[in-house]
Amino acid sequence: MDAFDEMRGPNGTVAEAYQAVAEWLYATPSRLLDEKRREAEILFRRIGITFNVYGEDAGTERLIPFDIIPRSLAPWEWTKLSRGLEQRVRALDAFLADIYHEQEILKAGKIPSHKVLGNVLYRPEMQGIEVPGGVYVQIAGIDVVRTEPDRFFVLEDNLRTPSGVSYMLEDRAVMMRLFPDLFAKAKVAPIDHYPHELLRTLRSVCPAHAGADPVVVLLTPGPYNSAYFEHAFLAERMGIELVEGQDLFVQDDAVFMRTTLGPRRVDVIYRRLDDEFIDPLAFNPDSSLGVPGLLSVYRKGGVTLANAIGTGVADDKSIYPYVPDMIRFYLGEDPLLENVPTWLLERPEDLAYALDHLPELVVKETQGSGGYGMLVGPKSSKQEIEDFRQKIKANPEGYIAQPTLALSTCPTFTDEGIAPRHVDLRPFILHGKNSISMVPGGLTRVALRQGSLVVNSSQGGGTKDTWVLEE
Amino acid sequence: MLSRTAENLYWTGRYMERAENLARLLDVSFRAALLPAADAGPAADWQAALDMLGITEIYKTKYGNVTQDSVIVFLTLDTSHPFSIKFCIDQARENARALRATLSAELWESLNITWLEMNNITRQILASRGPRTIFDWVKERSHLFRGVAYSTLLHNDAFHFLRLGTHLERADNTARLLAAKERSLASLPPKSGTVYYQWGAVLRSVSAFRAYTLIYRDVIDPVRVAELLILKAEMPRSLRFCLDQIAASLDTLAMGRDLECRRIAMETQSRLTYSRIEHVESQGIDAFLTDTLGRVNMLGIQIGRDFLMTV
């Protein structure tokens, strides 16, 4: 399986978007590059951009490896991609509004009702509730992969609490600090204004009572969460309070935070806490991270949650195959971005096919994330495949299968020098009242192990600065 | 400001200050132990350090006899109790971690580097680089922390909560140090050389030796040392100085509200402002210090009630 290399292109000539990068790599002595790589690592460690790895000792902090060779997209590539992303987010939001109200798409038979209403991520508490600004997904992270110069696939939609945007921003900041000359030559579209756009988006969906100056806060599970650095980073950049559940309380159908000057009303909560932990009275009663009574205030319109409760049903992997249908149904448009062909293993014929072809397929848990609990057929041993086969047979509804895509590669620093490594892209799409915006590019994740297709940081993936060149 | 944020700031300030005070105590004990001991054994100064912190029992169950090397390791690297430098730096950094959105990047980085470097210090490194090098380094990092805070943080509530922690901890330390010495040195014959060395060591541990000679131009006299460290407003580690700072911070933070913590601070400040050392001495310096220590503790609790919504 020969992968398409984004710099070298299919015919071996350097792609236009990579001219500056290629010249720079050619002209810079490898010793200097090595030095800069070490410098980058020191910078990241000093700034404290670390993440916690689940399953390791509490408090273990690791750096996500950063690769100094940027990934670059031409302006027309981004234009096409961003249109497709915008379309997708519109359709997904329309889907959520529909299933929590009239359920037209189910009545029309486009998606089997039980797949939605029987899904554990469907929240009946949200049925008939009006969300402020009519927006469910204010922040989406849509994972995109590329197989050919002009062919992008959506791998998955992340509509709950997508993370990684701080790495996108810090990768750029570090690159600009290490290689100012490079940015003087290439016209790279800036991304620094992301926190500003995010705040604008959050303010635009405040409840009606909040007036012109709504109080926006970021709700984090706390310092031991793997994405805590990002929560703090975003709160700082937006100049809003970083709160934990214990800082908030509910009284008289409103949410307040405890401050040194007494209680202060909160209007918009950018929550980085999953549905099931957000309110121990409504969901997981054991959660000490949430705010008792929050759901009740939310349902009465006293506070905005971003993203809304119950968005998980739209990014579930068993719903994913229907997104192209949603685009046609709600927007009357043809999808601009392709879905990866997907076998739903709850269907007997799909299951039979998948079990026959496991060595060539990727199998994922419908509700898994972070690269945990998946099988990459071509990279797995016979034993691993057999073990996985038993797991699938025990619970076919819990899995989907997809062909193994030949993900594009980018030149990357490895122990053996510069070599191609597989990449994906997570752009972040902001959906406010009457507006959809995104900063150019997104977070590029790179699988650092040779041949590996798993880019998740928890599985040894790294990141790259992602450029979108300006015309 | 969020109450929890204020609390984290307060404890970051307290723990950094405590780390510095421990380094000072260790440094001065180290120097004192080099002097020929009058009649006490060579471990007396180390025993005194443990007594002052009130952790002799914890030490003995773990290490047995009081020896210089063991006490240094116990108070520098042992994180099983809250009075080691490493424990304090861990805690300062842990509190600051929750403050990433409040602290300046420079302040966080400075603290993070201190923590990273402290993690590298092992028993072997403590021995090979020499304990005093490490103590000096801790003092420097603490000075740097305060300096970076002063010049990069907004001088708003965050700054004042940090300073509250710093000065409460410092007041507590100075009062404890002085009280411990009052008790242990009371029996010394006046004018002996030991008075000079023992009280000189107390002065050095709070960077006040030079200040003493500048202000009094006299031989070292225990009552004057007490005056300097209790009542002198210009002496940055005196109780008076700390209470002036605390009262000023609380005045700003109260924003005109009639808060109990502010009242306690002002009352204590007044006592320190308008007392004369002769009166303090006639009542007993030890009793005066015990009383002040009680007020400082009460103040800490009341700050929690008034701002941090901990009750």
Side-chain angles (χ1 to χ4, degrees):
Chain A
M1 183 173 68
D2 248 1
F4 152 65
D5 187 79
E6 296 191 3
M7 180 159 113
R8 284 287 158 198
N11 51 12
T13 54
V14 173
E16 206 176 312
Y18 279 88
Q19 290 292 345
V21 174
E23 279 170 30
W24 164 69
L25 283 178
Y26 182 73
T28 315
S30 59
R31 233 190 32 230
L32 186 65
L33 288 172
D34 276 343
E35 219 169 84
K36 292 288 184 185
R37 287 172 67 197
R38 275 196 299 276
E39 212 176 301
E41 175 157 350
I42 291 166
L43 280 173
F44 278 107
R45 205 169 276 287
R46 276 182 56 152
I47 308 169
I49 310 180
T50 55
F51 71 108
N52 303 329
V53 180
Y54 295 121
E56 292 188 8
D57 285 350
T60 308
E61 294 172 23
R62 284 216 323 232
L63 282 181
I64 292 191
F66 170 68
D67 185 69
I68 63 171
I69 305 177
R71 190 234 194 126
S72 187
L73 295 168
W76 59 87
E77 290 168 339
W78 173 248
T79 306
K80 189 178 167 194
L81 197 53
S82 61
R83 281 195 196 123
L85 293 166
E86 178 173 341
Q87 179 193 53
R88 198 166 173 105
V89 168
R90 275 190 203 291
L92 286 163
D93 220 284
F95 169 70
L96 285 163
D98 183 26
I99 60 161
Y100 288 122
H101 289 87
E102 307 301 322
Q103 305 184 337
E104 300 289 352
I105 200 164
L106 306 183
K107 289 175 192 157
K110 299 286 178 188
I111 305 176
S113 291
H114 75 273
K115 295 205 70 84
V116 174
L117 306 179
N119 193 306
V120 294
L121 297 170
Y122 169 80
R123 302 284 177 205
E125 298 87 347
M126 290 297 291
Q127 197 62 49
I129 300 298
E130 296 305 321
V131 294
V135 182
Y136 285 81
V137 179
Q138 287 84 357
I139 301 102
I142 305 226
D143 292 347
V144 177
V145 295
R146 192 176 186 184
T147 55
E148 291 168 41
D150 208 23
R151 201 152 184 218
F152 290 92
F153 288 89
V154 172
L155 203 55
E156 63 182 56
D157 307 290
N158 295 282
L159 309 177
R160 285 170 263 180
T161 56
S163 65
V165 80
S166 58
Y167 296 104
M168 171 183 94
L169 296 170
E170 286 292 355
D171 285 356
R172 173 64 54 84
V174 166
M175 276 305 280
M176 292 186 84
R177 183 157 164 179
L178 291 180
F179 306 108
D181 297 351
L182 190 51
F183 285 86
K185 286 193 197 103
K187 283 165 71 180
V188 183
I191 55 174
D192 257 12
H193 56 294
Y194 176 84
H196 174 88
E197 288 293 326
L198 174 58
L199 185 57
R200 208 164 57 125
T201 302
L202 294 168
R203 289 173 66 114
S204 78
V205 292
C206 68
H209 74 261
D213 199 13
V215 175
V216 183
V217 300
L218 194 159
L219 175 62
T220 173
Y224 294 103
N225 183 266
S226 68
Y228 181 73
F229 163 76
E230 174 157 307
H231 306 160
F233 174 92
L234 289 173
E236 181 202 5
R237 291 296 168 94
M238 290 190 281
I240 65 176
E241 289 292 354
L242 177 65
V243 303
E244 294 177 18
Q246 51 173 324
D247 299 322
L248 300 179
F249 65 94
V250 165
Q251 200 170 32
D252 304 331
D253 291 334
V255 180
F256 295 90
M257 59 177 161
R258 297 172 216 271
T259 80
T260 53
L261 294 175
R264 179 152 190 226
R265 179 151 191 195
V266 171
D267 303 309
V268 181
I269 302 176
Y270 174 28
R271 49 97 172 210
R272 297 290 298 258
L273 192 58
D274 289 338
D275 284 359
E276 50 273 35
F277 299 108
I278 207 156
D279 180 351
L281 297 183
F283 304 113
N284 183 349
D286 299 330
S287 170
S288 55
L289 303 172
V291 185
L294 180 58
L295 183 74
S296 141
V297 180
Y298 180 58
R299 281 168 49 95
K300 289 177 185 158
V303 70
T304 300
L305 293 177
N307 293 344
I309 303 266
T311 55
V313 66
D315 73 10
D316 186 74
K317 290 189 181 72
S318 70
I319 296 292
Y320 162 89
Y322 299 99
V323 177
D325 292 329
M326 293 177 199
I327 295 173
R328 292 187 198 97
F329 185 77
Y330 296 112
L331 310 180
E333 297 169 8
D334 281 328
L336 299 172
L337 293 173
E338 290 182 68
N339 250 28
V340 182
T342 302
W343 291 277
L344 291 170
L345 303 196
E346 58 169 32
R347 293 179 183 152
E349 64 277 18
D350 285 14
L351 178 63
Y353 176 86
L355 292 176
D356 278 350
H357 295 83
L358 282 183
E360 59 203 68
L361 298 176
V362 174
V363 186
K364 299 173 180 171
E365 289 180 2
T366 51
Q367 281 147 25
S369 69
Y372 292 102
M374 69 187 276
L375 174 81
V376 182
K379 305 288 173 198
S380 303
S381 69
K382 276 209 165 111
Q383 188 57 49
E384 285 166 337
I385 290 175
E386 285 320 301
D387 290 350
F388 218 86
R389 184 188 304 278
Q390 299 314 315
K391 282 164 73 177
I392 297 171
K393 279 182 169 166
N395 177 27
E397 306 82 50
Y399 295 91
I400 59 158
Q402 293 171 337
T404 309
L405 296 183
L407 301 193
S408 61
T409 59
C410 279
T412 302
F413 269 104
T414 68
D415 292 339
E416 299 87 42
I418 298 176
R421 288 291 183 268
H422 297 292
V423 293
D424 82 345
L425 178 67
R426 176 178 288 182
F428 296 90
I429 300 97
L430 298 173
H431 189 186
K433 196 176 177 180
N434 309 320
S435 78
I436 289 188
S437 64
M438 53 198 108
V439 299
L443 177 69
T444 289
R445 297 184 296 178
V446 52
L448 295 171
R449 278 195 295 270
Q450 185 170 13
S452 170
L453 294 168
V454 186
V455 296
N456 302 79
S457 53
S458 48
Q459 311 285 314
T463 69
K464 282 169 170 289
D465 186 18
T466 310
W467 293 3
V468 171
L469 298 183
E470 291 191 328
E471 308 221 32
Chain B
M1 171 180 296
L2 279 182
S3 299
R4 185 175 46 79
T5 305
E7 190 172 8
N8 284 325
L9 283 159
Y10 172 81
W11 284 106
T12 303
R14 274 201 93 142
Y15 277 117
M16 270 318 276
E17 180 68 20
R18 189 176 296 175
E20 179 183 337
N21 291 336
L22 285 165
R24 288 172 174 281
L25 177 67
L26 282 160
D27 190 49
V28 76
S29 307
F30 195 86
R31 285 211 251 180
L34 297 177
L35 296 172
D39 32 45
D45 295 295
W46 296 108
Q47 179 67 59
L50 293 173
D51 287 345
M52 182 196 138
L53 298 170
I55 49 173
T56 308
E57 282 311 306
I58 308 175
Y59 172 88
K60 288 204 165 150
T61 46
K62 202 162 173 189
Y63 295 82
N65 287 339
V66 175
T67 66
Q68 170 163 308
D69 287 353
S70 299
V71 176
I72 289 179
V73 168
F74 182 63
L75 294 181
T76 307
L77 300 177
D78 189 335
T79 52
S80 69
H81 66 97
F83 288 95
S84 75
I85 293 173
K86 188 165 162 55
F87 181 91
C88 293
I89 289 176
D90 284 354
Q91 289 299 311
R93 196 250 187 191
E94 196 57 30
N95 276 282
R97 225 162 90 83
L99 291 169
R100 291 286 289 272
T102 306
L103 298 183
S104 60
E106 289 93 335
L107 191 57
W108 162 253
E109 283 184 30
S110 155
L111 188 50
N112 199 35
I113 290 168
T114 306
W115 177 79
L116 287 168
E117 290 181 11
M118 190 69 212
N119 276 345
N120 291 331
I121 296 175
T122 57
R123 276 182 96 130
Q124 288 73 26
I125 287 177
L126 195 60
S128 67
R129 281 170 59 188
R132 290 192 61 193
T133 319
I134 305 293
F135 305 150
D136 281 345
W137 172 79
V138 172
K139 280 193 268 178
E140 272 169 36
R141 296 307 301 185
S142 169
H143 293 160
L144 188 65
F145 174 80
R146 274 197 307 278
V148 173
Y150 187 84
S151 50
T152 66
L153 276 188
L154 285 177
H155 283 212
N156 60 8
D157 292 10
F159 183 68
H160 286 293
F161 278 111
L162 195 65
R163 282 170 71 94
L164 268 185
T166 304
H167 290 110
L168 263 163
E169 181 67 25
R170 187 180 293 177
D172 182 83
N173 180 66
T174 300
R176 263 174 210 280
L177 177 72
L178 214 47
K181 291 297 170 189
E182 281 295 333
R183 270 171 244 142
S184 68
L185 302 182
S187 54
L188 287 177
K191 307 266 181 225
S192 72
T194 321
V195 167
Y196 171 85
Y197 286 111
Q198 289 289 353
W199 285 103
V202 173
L203 288 173
R204 283 204 177 84
S205 76
V206 291
S207 304
F209 194 86
R210 226 180 124 65
Y212 182 93
T213 54
L214 275 173
I215 291 175
Y216 296 105
R217 304 195 179 281
D218 188 9
V219 296
I220 291 180
D221 168 69
V223 177
R224 289 195 153 164
V225 172
E227 182 183 39
L228 181 67
L229 297 187
I230 297 173
L231 301 178
K232 283 288 179 201
E234 61 270 43
M235 171 64 216
R237 296 191 158 265
S238 74
L239 294 176
R240 164 76 191 280
F241 182 92
C242 294
L243 263 297
D244 282 351
Q245 298 292 322
I246 292 166
S249 286
L250 287 177
D251 207 30
T252 311
L253 291 170
M255 310 244 301
R257 288 174 295 168
D258 179 23
L259 299 176
E260 175 64 8
C261 64
R262 180 163 164 266
R263 192 197 62 75
I264 299 174
M266 299 258 176
E267 188 187 13
T268 313
Q269 184 199 17
S270 301
R271 241 168 71 89
L272 291 164
T273 310
Y274 300 113
S275 289
R276 293 204 187 284
I277 194 65
E278 295 76 20
H279 300 149
V280 174
E281 201 193 354
S282 67
Q283 292 165 23
I285 293 176
D286 192 14
F288 186 87
L289 288 169
T290 307
D291 177 66
T292 310
L293 206 51
R295 286 163 185 267
V296 168
N297 284 338
M298 211 160 68
L299 186 52
I301 293 165
Q302 193 60 41
I303 287 172
R305 288 195 186 125
D306 290 343
F307 291 109
L308 312 180
M309 297 177 93
T310 46
V311 179

